[in-house]
Amino acid sequence: MKRLYAPFNFRGGVSPTYHKETTCNSPLRELPLPPLLTISMSQHLGAPAKPLVSPDDTVVGGQMIAAAAGMISAAIHAPTSGRVVSIGDAATPLGRPAPAMVIEPDGNHTWQSPLPPITNWREVAPRTLAERVGAAGIVGMGGAGFPTHVKLSPPADKPIDTLIINGAECEPYLSGDNRILLEHSAAVWEGAAIIAHILKATNIYVAIEDNKPDAVRAMEQAIPADLANASLCVLKTSFPQGSEKHQIFSVTGRTVPAGGLPMDVGCVVENVATTYAIRDAVINGQPLVTRSITVSGDAVAAPANLIAHIGTPFSYLVEACGGVSGTLTKVVSGGTMMGFAQASLDVTMTKTSSGLLLLSPSQVKQFTSQACISCGRCLNACPMRLMPAELSQYIESEDIANAEASFVMDCFECGSCAFVCPAHRPLVQHMRRAKAIIMAQRRAAGPRPG
Amino acid sequence: MNEWLTPIMWIGGIGAFCGGALALAAYYLSVPEDPRIEQVTNELPGANCGGCGFAGCADYAKALVENKTSPDRCPVASSAAVQAIGALLGKAVVASGRKVALVLCGGCNTEAIRHFSYNGITDCAAAAAIAGGDKACSFGCLGYGSCLRVCPVNCITMVDGVAKIDSSACIGCGKCVAACPRNLIQLVPEEAKIHVLCSSRDKGSVVRKVCGVGCIGCRICVKLSDGAISMDGFLAKVDYTKPPLTNEELVEKCPGKCIRKVG
């Protein structure tokens, strides 16, 4: 079994214009260091990392500068050698300010990774490898930023039989994962083999949408001969095919229960960039300090795929791509469907920044939101089978309890509902608001039992 | 017995028996209620706003009579009413004076910069979650009316992008204080008319870039106010426990134009 076509497809979803042609043929280019790096301590889901160095300390590249604060957290490493200028609040691409460390590179790029390379990973215990992934500060690089070592340490009562490497890249404009699949096909397969070894998974799939035929071909040819049960799964091009729950259904036909995790159905999904970073952390002993980022949109002179250091300001990325061309009206970190609009280019990239989009007025429409006309399009579009129209009305009338009873917490903010809404209602923003209120209530009520 | 007298006697008999039973029950099972509860309830304003922390005026009156709280918790009652309650309960009450809510930000749309255009739901917390809010000042009033929607007496209006509270109508319940995601609203004594209408803790150089009416931390007011204004970092703060400010020179001399006479 080498190549197979996804036997299932999830219900709902939308088909936005993908604009992939702008950057899909632009090779990954390494970006030099910026004059200042602002490294956020909150680059992942969970508690912000605890700084280990103080202002005026000197650091070397690869040094751990912040430690994971608790179970759901991730370590952060210095991308280069230099001096810590300050530690204070800075804007993050996600909107809310968070503590950040400013590092001034000294130009020597002295590199001293604390992690020894593990070349004979097949003989190493899975637990040691999972700890290595945690020590390298790897988080889900598709956008959610969930600490990967947690995903790779499932409890004993949840055996994992299927590993899916997520190469769907269903967000418009983004093509960083596509380039990794093309340029580092063998490395991605090796990363997949390492993860499968950690999880003791027997089936390995690399799932790619059918709008990336060259990546499908490259990955198919690169399937290692010694990897049993490895196959390439071609997915239908549809948004949000890259959502792990939907990808699991498309590939295996299994449905993750509401409020559950992929491990409940014996699956783990890892993003392509994460897989590549895991291989680097194990085989080369490299902590996560760089990542691929697509700089695209119709208001940037030379759209490109870059490999940039964590903490690089967005303005530096834009300069490296020839600067702004024409009128810039909107800056988005991530893709256009689930990305976050930015107020300025001073914000710096994090481990989860997969794209930076600069859009001209022709790509940005200003709408006035109107009352729901009960057309039901959002019901058809919602891949989680929620009722966005009804939920948004509960939330507008501050009936958060009813929204919670109608499963608002299952919304993963893909934006399909708002994309199809003819009344231009800000549905996702309503869901986000309700989810934030409910999360605050749950935190106030104390830890959940179990 | 004829056919009309029997039912009358039966019904009359049952009625007399039940009436007697009720009269006995009322006499032997009665629970004496403190008459002061009703008197105190009559003195309270009857707004049932919950500003005291109890479920309405009657509940507060009960707690007062049971000596579980103090009479100055009601933010609406006039000082005469508070004194009357004190007299009823036989307690000496120091009148704290009526308190009204005040928005400590004067950064209207013509003075404070909005650094991007926000096109989402009209809720301040939701707006603040997107790139820290569209107002360039990270402390200022966003103007999306989260306070306005919780006000039980509709005394808050949005004037040129900043919430304004009508102090004559305000009952001082404090619901808006809790609703503001930027903690800009404070309960202040009604007599106080001169306020520092800024909450920015940024340095003066940062404040000047984003707002024309922000506190720049120059300390001129501290010298003029005779101790009633003190500095909290880079922000001047009025001490409302002291007698209200009357010196109008403060308003004239403030270079940030953030000390203003309200009402």
Side-chain angles (χ1 to χ4, degrees):
Chain A
M1 198 160 47
K2 290 290 176 194
R3 183 200 283 207
L4 60 98
Y5 288 84
F8 306 92
N9 197 21
F10 62 92
R11 173 202 167 280
V14 292
S15 297
T17 318
Y18 284 97
H19 298 285
K20 299 266 193 193
E21 64 289 348
T22 331
T23 51
C24 68
N25 294 321
S26 131
L28 289 166
R29 170 157 63 94
E30 273 193 41
L31 191 69
L33 281 158
L36 274 183
L37 292 159
T38 307
I39 301 160
S40 174
M41 295 294 112
S42 190
Q43 306 195 28
H44 44 261
L45 214 71
K50 274 193 295 239
L52 298 175
V53 291
S54 335
D56 277 334
D57 284 359
T58 45
V59 293
V60 291
Q63 181 186 334
M64 195 199 277
I65 52 173
M71 180 67 187
I72 310 288
S73 185
I76 296 166
H77 300 78
T80 184
S81 57
R83 184 178 70 91
V84 180
V85 179
S86 62
I87 301 174
D89 276 6
T92 64
L94 299 186
R96 291 206 184 274
M101 191 183 291
V102 181
I103 292 182
E104 186 181 14
D106 58 10
N108 302 330
H109 198 61
T110 320
W111 184 266
Q112 205 180 341
S113 173
L115 315 169
I118 307 175
T119 40
N120 59 336
W121 53 268
R122 278 172 220 277
E123 286 113 58
V124 176
R127 208 187 147 75
T128 319
L129 292 175
E131 275 163 11
R132 159 59 55 93
V133 170
I138 294 173
V139 301
M141 287 159 79
F146 189 79
T148 303
H149 61 281
V150 181
K151 241 178 172 179
L152 296 185
S153 320
D157 59 335
K158 301 248 159 87
I160 304 296
D161 63 349
T162 303
L163 168 70
I164 302 172
I165 304 301
N166 183 350
E169 205 163 46
C170 57
E171 276 275 7
Y173 288 102
L174 306 187
S175 57
D177 287 355
N178 178 35
R179 291 313 301 180
I180 294 177
L181 289 170
L182 279 170
E183 295 173 31
H184 305 285
S185 316
V188 173
W189 274 118
E190 193 168 13
I194 294 172
I195 303 172
H197 174 66
I198 297 174
L199 296 168
K200 302 182 193 75
T202 42
N203 301 317
I204 309 171
Y205 298 96
V206 170
I208 305 173
E209 277 189 346
D210 58 9
N211 64 353
K212 291 176 266 294
D214 43 354
V216 170
R217 223 170 296 127
M219 286 304 285
E220 190 183 15
Q221 280 159 13
I223 297 180
D226 58 342
L227 205 58
N229 290 329
S231 30
L232 189 106
C233 187
V234 183
L235 304 165
K236 252 192 198 158
T237 300
S238 174
F239 181 88
Q241 192 71 268
S243 150
E244 56 180 13
K245 290 181 182 177
H246 299 91
Q247 199 163 87
I248 289 169
F249 181 75
S250 293
V251 175
T252 67
R254 300 177 197 175
T255 306
V256 180
L261 290 169
M263 63 170 77
D264 294 333
V265 292
C267 294
V268 162
V269 182
E270 289 293 352
N271 168 266
V272 165
T274 319
T275 310
Y276 185 57
I278 289 173
R279 176 198 173 266
D280 229 19
V282 172
I283 293 183
N284 301 330
Q286 297 286 344
L288 177 57
V289 293
T290 58
R291 71 153 295 148
S292 60
I293 181 165
T294 302
V295 182
S296 187
D298 55 353
V300 62
N305 289 309
L306 305 172
I307 299 271
H309 293 85
I310 305 299
T312 304
F314 286 158
S315 53
Y316 191 75
L317 299 175
V318 176
E319 269 169 49
C321 294
V324 174
S325 76
T327 329
L328 174 63
T329 50
K330 194 169 191 176
V331 179
V332 178
S333 164
T336 44
M337 293 297 291
M338 292 181 72
F340 291 84
Q342 302 299 308
S344 94
L345 284 171
D346 300 334
V347 181
T348 58
M349 62 178 279
T350 65
K351 292 173 186 175
T352 55
S353 305
S354 48
L356 176 67
L357 309 180
L358 286 87
L359 305 170
S360 79
S362 68
Q363 294 296 310
V364 182
K365 288 181 185 144
Q366 278 274 350
F367 295 116
T368 312
S369 159
Q370 284 155 0
C372 173
I373 59 166
S374 301
C375 66
R377 285 191 205 174
C378 54
L379 276 74
N380 285 333
C382 180
M384 292 307 287
R385 308 188 181 204
L386 303 176
M387 298 189 287
E390 202 166 291
L391 282 168
S392 75
Q393 285 167 59
Y394 286 144
I395 299 160
E396 261 181 334
S397 50
E398 303 292 328
D399 190 356
I400 306 293
N402 231 332
E404 191 177 3
S406 305
F407 305 101
V408 70
M409 292 310 278
D410 279 340
C411 169
F412 66 104
E413 304 164 19
C414 70
S416 299
C417 52
F419 182 80
V420 297
C421 181
H424 308 303
R425 288 169 62 73
L427 296 163
V428 182
Q429 208 191 356
H430 282 303
M431 309 297 170
R432 245 179 225 163
R433 182 165 164 261
K435 282 170 73 177
I437 295 171
I438 294 167
M439 287 307 283
Q441 283 170 356
R442 286 186 184 172
R443 268 197 300 275
R448 275 196 293 173
Chain B
M1 288 285 177
N2 62 42
E3 59 190 22
W4 56 268
L5 196 57
T6 310
I8 287 176
M9 282 178 70
W10 272 107
I11 299 293
I14 292 168
F17 176 75
C18 292
L22 280 173
L24 288 172
Y27 184 78
Y28 287 108
L29 304 177
S30 70
V31 179
E33 198 191 47
D34 198 325
R36 292 180 299 168
I37 293 179
E38 201 184 331
Q39 289 169 332
V40 172
T41 311
N42 290 340
E43 288 295 338
L44 287 169
N48 290 320
C49 67
C52 53
F54 292 91
C57 295
D59 198 35
Y60 179 52
K62 194 168 168 233
L64 277 172
V65 171
E66 288 168 1
N67 208 7
K68 284 181 183 161
T69 182
S70 61
D72 54 359
R73 294 282 299 273
C74 178
V76 189
S78 63
S79 56
V82 175
Q83 293 294 348
I85 293 167
L88 273 171
L89 302 174
K91 275 188 193 169
V93 184
V94 185
S96 62
R98 203 170 85 93
K99 288 198 166 185
V100 290
L102 178 74
V103 181
L104 293 180
C105 174
C108 54
N109 284 341
T110 45
E111 296 288 357
I113 294 166
R114 290 193 184 255
H115 60 160
F116 63 90
S117 91
Y118 171 74
N119 182 17
I121 56 179
T122 42
D123 177 85
C124 298
I130 293 176
D134 58 343
K135 207 155 231 178
C137 172
S138 54
F139 299 91
C141 174
L142 289 160
Y144 295 105
S146 291
C147 52
L148 178 153
R149 281 190 292 279
V150 296
C151 181
V153 292
N154 291 331
C155 71
I156 309 181
T157 44
M158 214 47 78
V159 181
D160 196 17
V162 172
K164 286 270 180 309
I165 299 176
D166 176 1
S167 58
S168 61
C170 175
I171 58 169
C173 66
K175 286 188 178 165
C176 52
V177 177
C180 179
R182 297 212 148 160
N183 298 323
L184 290 173
I185 308 180
Q186 198 182 335
L187 290 176
V188 299
E190 195 188 15
E191 311 85 65
K193 295 293 176 201
I194 294 176
H195 308 280
V196 179
L197 290 188
C198 180
S199 300
S200 172
R201 297 179 164 275
D202 280 334
K203 281 184 189 166
S205 56
V206 180
V207 173
R208 272 205 196 274
K209 272 183 209 152
V210 295
C211 184
V213 289
C215 174
I216 55 172
C218 68
R219 297 172 163 271
I220 291 177
C221 55
V222 178
K223 286 175 205 139
L224 285 174
S225 66
D226 204 18
I229 298 181
S230 57
M231 294 304 291
D232 181 6
F234 298 104
L235 176 64
K237 280 201 164 174
V238 178
D239 184 353
Y240 289 107
T241 58
K242 298 218 162 114
L245 290 162
T246 47
N247 187 357
E248 303 224 351
E249 211 184 348
L250 286 166
V251 181
E252 290 153 27
K253 292 226 168 138
C254 176
K257 291 184 286 236
C258 62
I259 300 187
R260 279 191 256 170
K261 198 170 179 186
V262 177

